[in-house]
């Protein structure tokens, strides 16, 4: 295994998992199933554990899941069962941008269009849509297996997969529609558009008031480290460009925001313990008695709150 003190689980029935089976420790897996817990530090698993298996272990503090399908994702993170109110866990999910959602929506709709063509016009109508020599696969349209395990050339539409695709399409549309309404409200109230349809949908689904983007958290930590180096220092025009670039605030069109009020608003909205303001430099002389070359100019000053 790449990571020491870890356990890997995958389905043995899937042919695509054959090369990974050497990493599965059957004895440890059997022990985990019996005890509803694992003794190693990390558990890596496919969706083989998405249903019918519970992990009742208060030592589980972090779940990372990159599965897109919402129902499957909920099943996966739901394997962790909570014993009491003090039993809590951090859940890390792979975020999807609105562009990702739109691309996936087009892909699912294309599969449904192909299936509809097959349902109403058979193979000939389907081939007209996808092309006679197309080798693109469609998980909704399947070959029929015979009793000897071989496949017939006659194809059929999987009703279950068709309905799953319809549900997925409708869910993505709902995500994007809600986000469109939210962005309209944001703009009316002086805010900016956000590409956060998926994140907001999951937040509401899990009844969470706050979701943190890990990338944003790391960016804020880096920003705070930088601000610590300039606290109390006068920053004149020539140095303000660097401050702006460190904040790296952009509107929905990707334009860098340069106004100090926008920098201060960012600090406040993200509850960072800093403030930035603009002040006139009215000093005639510097501390060493020499003339002040910045007299009459404005400077930025960063302060930090205690506690």
């Amino acid at each position: 295994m790449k990571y020491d003190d870890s356990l890997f689980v995958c389905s043995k029935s899937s042919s695509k998992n054959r090369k990974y089976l050497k990493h599965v420790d059957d004895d440890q897996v059997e022990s985990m199933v019996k005890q509803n817990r694992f003794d190693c530090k990390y558990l890596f698993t496919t969706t083989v554990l998405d249903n019918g298996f519970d992990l009742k272990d208060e030592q589980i503090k972090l779940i990372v899941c990159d599965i897109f399908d919402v129902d499957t994702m909920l099943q996966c993170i739901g394997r962790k069962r909570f014993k009491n109110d003090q039993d809590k866990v951090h859940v890390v999910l792979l975020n999807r941008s609105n562009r990702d959602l739109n691309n996936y929506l087009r892909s699912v709709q294309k599969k449904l269009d192909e299936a509809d063509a097959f349902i109403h016009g058979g193979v000939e109508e389907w081939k007209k849509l996808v092309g006679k020599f197309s080798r693109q696969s469609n998980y909704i349209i399947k070959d029929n297996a015979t009793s000897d395990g071989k496949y017939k050339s006659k194809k059929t539409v999987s009703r279950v997969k068709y309905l799953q695709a319809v549900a997925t399409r409708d869910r993505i549309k709902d995500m994007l529609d809600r986000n469109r309404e939210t962005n309209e409200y944001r703009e009316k109230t002086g805010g900016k558009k956000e590409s956060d349809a998926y994140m907001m949908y999951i937040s509401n689904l899990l009844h969470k008031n706050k979701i943190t983007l890990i990338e944003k958290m790391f960016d804020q930590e880096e920003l705070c480290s930088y601000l610590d180096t300039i606290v109390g220092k006068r920053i004149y025009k020539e140095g303000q460009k660097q401050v702006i670039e460190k904040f790296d605030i952009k509107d929905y069109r990707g334009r860098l925001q340069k106004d100090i009020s926008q920098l201060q608003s960012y600090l406040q909205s993200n509850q960072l313990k800093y403030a930035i303001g603009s002040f006139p430099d009215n000093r005639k002389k510097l501390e060493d008695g020499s003339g002040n070359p910045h007299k009459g100019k404005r400077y930025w000053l960063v302060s930090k709150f205690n506690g």
Side-chain angles (χ1 to χ4, degrees):
M1 291 291 289
K2 183 176 180 179
Y3 296 94
D4 294 332
D5 196 19
S6 64
L7 175 63
F8 175 71
V9 183
C10 70
S11 171
K12 293 185 177 182
S13 61
S14 176
S15 59
K16 63 183 180 181
N17 288 338
R18 287 175 185 168
K19 62 181 179 180
Y20 302 111
L21 293 179
K22 62 183 179 181
H23 300 297
V24 178
D25 187 319
D26 291 330
D27 291 336
Q28 285 193 53
V29 173
E30 183 179 355
S31 175
M32 178 183 68
V33 172
K34 288 180 179 179
Q35 299 180 54
N36 294 116
R37 62 187 303 275
F38 53 93
D39 297 322
C40 53
K41 188 172 183 180
Y42 305 107
L43 169 64
F44 298 95
T45 178
T46 63
T47 54
V48 69
L49 290 186
D50 70 350
N51 201 4
F53 179 78
D54 296 333
L55 287 168
K56 301 173 182 177
D57 188 352
E58 293 180 82
Q59 295 303 309
I60 297 175
K61 299 298 181 185
L62 177 66
I63 298 174
V64 180
C65 182
D66 67 351
I67 295 171
F68 176 73
D69 181 75
V70 174
D71 292 325
T72 305
M73 177 269 291
L74 292 175
Q75 288 286 348
C76 289
I77 64 177
R79 296 310 93 219
K80 157 69 177 173
R81 299 299 185 181
F82 298 94
K83 293 185 176 182
N84 50 57
D85 293 339
Q86 284 70 49
D87 188 4
K88 300 182 184 298
V89 66
H90 289 282
V91 177
V92 178
L93 303 175
L94 179 61
N95 192 27
R96 318 283 173 165
S97 68
N98 288 13
R99 178 178 292 181
D100 294 333
L101 294 180
N102 277 300
N103 288 339
Y104 194 69
L105 178 60
R106 284 190 289 270
S107 174
V108 173
Q109 187 61 58
K110 183 174 181 292
K111 303 296 185 188
L112 286 170
D113 290 343
E114 292 175 10
D116 287 336
F118 182 86
I119 291 170
H120 299 297
V123 174
E124 292 305 316
E125 196 65 28
W126 172 59
K127 284 185 177 180
K128 285 181 183 178
L129 185 64
V130 302
K132 188 175 181 180
F133 301 104
S134 174
R135 294 185 176 275
Q136 292 183 359
S137 62
N138 188 326
Y139 61 89
I140 302 175
I141 302 173
K142 63 176 183 178
D143 292 313
N144 289 321
T146 58
S147 57
D148 59 4
K150 296 181 180 179
Y151 287 90
K152 299 177 184 177
S153 59
K154 186 177 181 180
K155 297 179 180 294
T156 58
V157 168
S158 169
R159 177 175 172 79
V160 172
K161 291 183 178 179
Y162 183 92
L163 294 176
Q164 287 176 337
V166 170
T168 297
R169 178 198 63 191
D170 292 346
R171 174 173 272 155
I172 295 174
K173 282 185 176 180
D174 185 39
M175 291 182 191
L176 293 168
D177 287 344
R178 291 188 188 189
N179 189 243
R180 195 174 297 111
E181 292 176 1
T182 300
N183 278 331
E184 288 176 0
Y185 175 78
R186 284 167 173 161
E187 288 190 305
K188 287 179 181 178
T189 55
K192 65 177 184 177
K193 292 181 179 179
E194 297 286 352
S195 176
D196 58 357
Y198 182 79
M199 186 172 71
M200 291 296 99
Y201 185 89
I202 297 300
S203 176
N204 292 328
L205 192 65
L206 299 179
H207 306 293
K208 297 298 179 185
N209 295 325
K210 183 180 179 182
I211 288 184
T212 301
L213 285 171
I214 291 181
E215 292 89 347
K216 184 176 180 179
M217 183 176 68
F218 289 154
D219 289 343
Q220 288 181 354
E221 288 179 355
E222 184 178 340
L223 173 62
C224 290
S225 296
Y226 168 72
L227 292 177
D228 283 337
T229 66
I230 61 173
V231 167
K233 297 180 179 179
R234 290 181 172 86
I235 304 168
Y236 296 93
K237 188 173 182 178
E238 58 270 18
Q240 291 169 7
K241 181 179 178 182
Q242 184 181 38
V243 178
I244 292 168
E245 290 174 347
K246 289 292 184 180
F247 271 82
D248 195 29
I249 303 171
K250 296 177 181 177
D251 63 13
Y252 72 95
R253 294 181 181 175
R255 297 174 299 188
L256 191 64
Q257 303 300 287
K258 302 177 181 180
D259 193 276
I260 191 171
S261 64
Q262 293 166 323
L263 308 187
Q264 175 59 21
S265 177
Y266 177 86
L267 295 174
Q268 288 180 327
S269 62
N270 289 280
Q271 298 180 332
L272 301 181
K273 297 179 180 180
Y274 299 86
I276 185 168
S278 176
F279 306 92
D281 190 344
N282 296 321
R283 299 173 301 164
K284 294 181 179 180
K285 294 184 178 181
L286 301 178
E287 293 181 359
D288 61 3
S290 61
N292 180 12
H294 301 293
K295 185 179 183 300
K297 298 179 181 179
R298 297 192 70 87
Y299 62 89
W300 290 357
L301 189 69
V302 174
S303 57
K304 184 176 182 179
F305 307 123
N306 296 323

